[in-house]
Amino acid sequence: MKSEKTRHSKQLLLAGIVTIFGLILPSTVRAETTFNHQQDNGQNHQGHHPNGTDNSTAPEPSAHTQILPPLPPKLPSWIDNKDRNHIYRQRGVYNDAIYNIKALARDLNAVAVGHAMAYEDLVTGKANRLETQTFDRINWVLKNPPRFMPDEANISPTFGRKYGVLEQIFDWTHILHAQTVDVLASPKLTDSEKEAEIDRLYRFYVETVPYAITDLPMNMGYLDSQPYSKAFRQKYPKVNGLFWGYHWLQGTMYDTLYSQTLAQQRAAYILVGKRYHETELYRTDRPFMPMFAEVSPRFAARFPYISNVFDNLHMLHDMVNDILASDWMTEKQKEEQIKRAIWMVSAETHKSMKPGKQYGTDGLHDHRFMPGMPGMGMMPEGLINHHHGERNSTPASNHTGH
Amino acid sequence: MKLITKQAIAAFCITALMMSGTTKARAGDHNNIDANRPLSFDDAESIGYREQAIEMGASLLLPRDGDVGGELEIEYVYGFARNTHFHIGINPSIGGSADTKDTRFDPGNVSVGIFHNFNREYNNTPAFAVRADAHLPTGRDASGVDLRLRGIASKTVGQYDRLHLNLDLNVKIDADSDERAFVPGVVLGYSRPLGYPRRFDRTFVAEVGVRGGEHKGDGAIASAGVGLRQQVGYQSVVDIGLQTDFAGDEGDRSQLRLTAGYSFSF
């Protein structure tokens, strides 16, 4: 994005301005600023009080403490960027066409609120309320969805200040989510125009920023076998159920809309929306998050790379949930593991790799699906028994989905 | 009521009505605050890269000792680079204001400017930005270029409350003998989203400010304002605000300013 020289000059300039501002406006939030997380990745604060002040102490290592994998030695510079980097969506006649199916549009607006509320409560010392007050707040919004798409950053400002790069990645991939659905819902494009436009949107997604998520089929068994894995679903099953309900909707809607007329789409969403609200949001018995190719096989077969991006995005959400829910980690460890999770699913980490191949034996670069075949989340123990996979285990090589 | 007053009020009401009737058109982000939409302060965030926006507003001016006046403002904003945008605008006016006793129609000065955000707000570090504006002398009786340099810092205090410190330096290139060439100013803005956790489309804004008098010997002028930004469409926001100037001394006249605006992105 920027040359090293420019970046360091900017940091020096910022340091000067920060000092001046600090004299003018005394801080109400106590935290350490680090300009280079590779030199000093730590902060001494542990959690935030709603008023922005720290109110807890670092957890002492306990019996639950596990050996955490280290950060890779050389991380890309963008992973520590301090820029805002808001990028506007592609222009097109299809923008906001999802509002032609108003119920779906509003349900998607509510989804944005739910993730943000949970993240904000997790980083402001309210994790103990997640299954009660937080769940109720999110559930109210799900039942009374907002008219317009909220800006998640506004709902979770504390989370955004701590994990701004992660927020950029989420936001950027959510734009791809939103625009591809707008294309499918647009009555102004033919089916062939829609397919071409979705391909164009995908190119825009991968070429515009360095922090796109990889389009390779990831080994979900590996990603879900980290030392912190499954913490969130075990501690907060109701809220996790909501999240996986969102993922069910965000996957299912593609085949609901794909190659259908607007009338068919509206009629179909009456059924899909009913199932979403009555059943899928409140399920707590899923062994794993819904995978895109399971719920939208037609779209996934046509656009496997987009399908993979969305699965990997949702897996990143799960990894972040698990990290934030692991109270045996220090704040510094959480920050490092979130950074590592970003690195694991980023396109840059898997550059030049191909689907259908395995690179190394650790599981991270295990992309053994046929080229063009959407990933189905290789699991070491299969779907039925997937609840406590062996940590860092390598999936069976012949396993090709469920 | 004077004809000029009626015209000003009519223009304001028509504009406000047009805005309130528009429901489908970030700018379209109610929480991203630009100067004059509706108060005078900026937050430190630029609009998005490649984003374009039209921001417009109408103000009703109620000087303490003069005729009622009206102002329009239309501005085009373009995010031509990351974290940076360009803007160009014009603000024609008619009727009275605290600045002049001339009530004739004035096409206003064309303003061009650039805004750059240095960093997002992170951990304990505020978001910082700078904007520079040049006002070209296209208005009635205007001469010389007026410049304004504004430094901006935005910082969250508490969970959702945000403060926005704006430090201004106004430079008059072709100042008359009785005018100051350099006029400093400071504005402290405040914003807070309203309605959480049940609605996500409304932001309350307020400000207090002090600026130097434009003429030599004039004292500083204090100002205050409150306002609201309300999302009304997928990419559009309506704003409404009330501002007042407090006379720094007897040489300046205070006024009330009622503003309504509409912004949309595309």
Side-chain angles (χ1 to χ4, degrees), chain B residues 131-201:
Chain B
R131 74 176 279 176
D133 297 275
H135 296 270
L136 309 178
T138 55
R140 181 185 295 278
D141 300 330
S143 64
V145 176
D146 294 344
L147 303 175
R148 188 187 69 179
L149 188 65
R150 167 172 278 188
I152 306 154
S154 291
K155 189 176 190 309
T156 306
V157 289
Q159 190 170 11
Y160 291 111
D161 308 272
R162 262 191 126 199
L163 293 176
H164 313 274
L165 183 66
N166 288 202
L167 300 175
D168 292 344
L169 180 62
N170 298 281
V171 182
K172 204 167 182 61
I173 301 289
D174 189 24
D176 293 338
S177 57
D178 64 334
E179 290 182 317
R180 288 193 171 112
F182 298 95
V183 180
V186 58
V187 184
L188 183 63
Y190 166 82
S191 65
R192 179 184 174 86
L194 293 182
Y196 284 7
R198 297 201 163 185
R199 64 180 308 161
F200 312 91
D201 57 0

Side-chain angles (χ1 to χ4, degrees), chain A residues 41-341:
Chain A
N41 213 345
Q43 294 183 50
N44 293 329
H45 68 281
Q46 290 79 35
H48 295 271
H49 191 267
N51 68 3
T53 57
D54 299 339
N55 66 337
S56 61
T57 55
E60 290 296 321
S62 66
H64 299 289
T65 303
Q66 312 208 35
I67 303 298
L68 288 164
L71 277 171
K74 193 167 193 265
L75 289 169
S77 60
W78 56 257
I79 216 162
D80 283 318
N81 87 73
K82 300 292 186 289
D83 300 324
R84 185 161 182 260
N85 288 337
H86 175 56
I87 298 167
Y88 197 63
R89 64 187 183 180
Q90 281 283 62
R91 289 181 182 80
V93 294
Y94 48 82
N95 275 338
D96 301 314
I98 192 63
Y99 286 92
N100 291 322
I101 309 149
K102 202 173 285 289
L104 173 56
R106 291 195 168 201
D107 283 341
L108 292 173
N109 293 347
V111 164
V113 173
H115 264 306
M117 280 183 175
Y119 283 143
E120 184 69 3
D121 282 358
L122 278 167
V123 300
T124 53
K126 299 175 191 161
N128 59 341
R129 306 180 197 174
L130 230 60
E131 289 287 90
T132 51
Q133 290 105 314
T134 309
F135 177 88
D136 291 341
R137 271 191 287 125
I138 296 172
N139 201 34
W140 188 92
V141 176
L142 292 169
K143 291 178 185 296
N144 303 273
R147 279 197 309 157
F148 308 118
M149 176 60 77
D151 185 344
E152 292 186 52
N154 295 338
I155 301 166
S156 52
T158 317
F159 175 80
R161 288 199 305 278
K162 274 182 76 70
Y163 300 113
V165 176
L166 177 67
E167 199 170 66
Q168 282 172 16
I169 294 164
F170 285 156
D171 189 46
W172 184 237
T173 311
H174 289 162
I175 288 174
L176 178 66
H177 240 322
Q179 292 215 266
T180 47
V181 173
D182 277 342
V183 168
L184 291 179
S186 174
K188 296 177 181 174
L189 302 174
T190 64
D191 281 352
S192 60
E193 286 172 332
K194 288 181 182 184
E195 303 226 345
E197 188 60 26
I198 288 170
D199 274 327
R200 192 172 77 94
L201 287 171
Y202 178 70
R203 287 195 302 276
F204 174 67
Y205 170 76
V206 294
E207 291 169 3
T208 304
V209 302
Y211 45 79
I213 288 175
T214 182
D215 63 4
L216 289 168
M218 293 291 286
N219 177 346
M220 296 291 166
Y222 173 78
L223 295 179
D224 202 41
S225 300
Q226 302 302 308
Y228 46 77
S229 292
K230 306 175 188 66
F232 191 85
R233 73 197 69 163
Q234 288 165 1
K235 288 177 79 170
Y236 312 113
K238 285 168 64 184
V239 176
N240 187 71
L242 294 180
F243 286 2
W244 284 358
Y246 305 160
H247 296 173
W248 179 89
L249 176 68
Q250 289 168 318
T252 300
M253 66 185 176
Y254 281 84
D255 271 13
T256 303
L257 304 177
Y258 190 46
S259 296
Q260 303 290 304
T261 65
L262 182 58
Q264 290 170 325
Q265 291 170 339
R266 285 173 172 162
Y269 194 70
I270 292 171
L271 300 175
V272 170
K274 188 172 189 291
R275 178 170 161 183
Y276 169 66
H277 280 284
E278 290 179 359
T279 305
E280 299 297 339
L281 276 172
Y282 307 110
R283 282 185 60 184
T284 56
D285 61 343
R286 295 182 199 274
F288 194 64
M289 70 177 191
M291 297 293 288
F292 198 99
E294 292 176 300
V295 290
S296 278
R298 289 172 63 237
F299 184 89
R302 171 60 183 83
F303 299 101
Y305 37 93
I306 295 178
S307 163
N308 291 334
V309 166
F310 293 153
D311 280 342
N312 297 336
L313 165 74
H314 293 163
M315 190 64 218
L316 178 60
H317 267 299
D318 276 11
M319 293 168 84
V320 170
N321 298 343
D322 290 340
I323 291 165
L324 293 177
S326 297
D327 48 17
W328 50 268
M329 282 194 224
T330 64
E331 287 297 305
K332 179 182 176 183
Q333 287 172 327
K334 287 180 181 181
E335 287 168 20
E336 286 180 349
Q337 290 306 308
I338 283 176
K339 206 176 284 190
R340 181 173 169 268

Side-chain angles (χ1 to χ4, degrees), chain A residues 10 14 17 21 29 35 81-86 88 90-91 99 120 140 154-155 157 161 208, chain B residues 26 31 45-46 48-50 82-83 118-120 122-124 126 128 153 159-160 198 234-235 266:
Chain A
K10 195 170 176 179
L14 270 176
I17 300 172
F21 189 84
V29 182
F35 285 107
N81 87 73
K82 300 292 186 289
D83 300 324
R84 185 161 182 260
N85 288 337
H86 175 56
Y88 197 63
Q90 281 283 62
R91 289 181 182 80
Y99 286 92
E120 184 69 3
W140 188 92
N154 295 338
I155 301 166
R161 288 199 305 278
T208 304
Chain B
R26 276 177 353 174
N31 222 34
E45 278 76 38
S46 65
Y49 175 43
R50 301 172 65 258
R82 286 193 194 190
N83 309 305
F118 291 105
N119 64 289
R120 69 174 185 272
Y122 62 94
N123 294 338
N124 198 34
F128 289 105
Q159 190 170 11
Y160 291 111
R198 297 201 163 185
Y234 312 137
Q235 300 281 307
F266 55 96

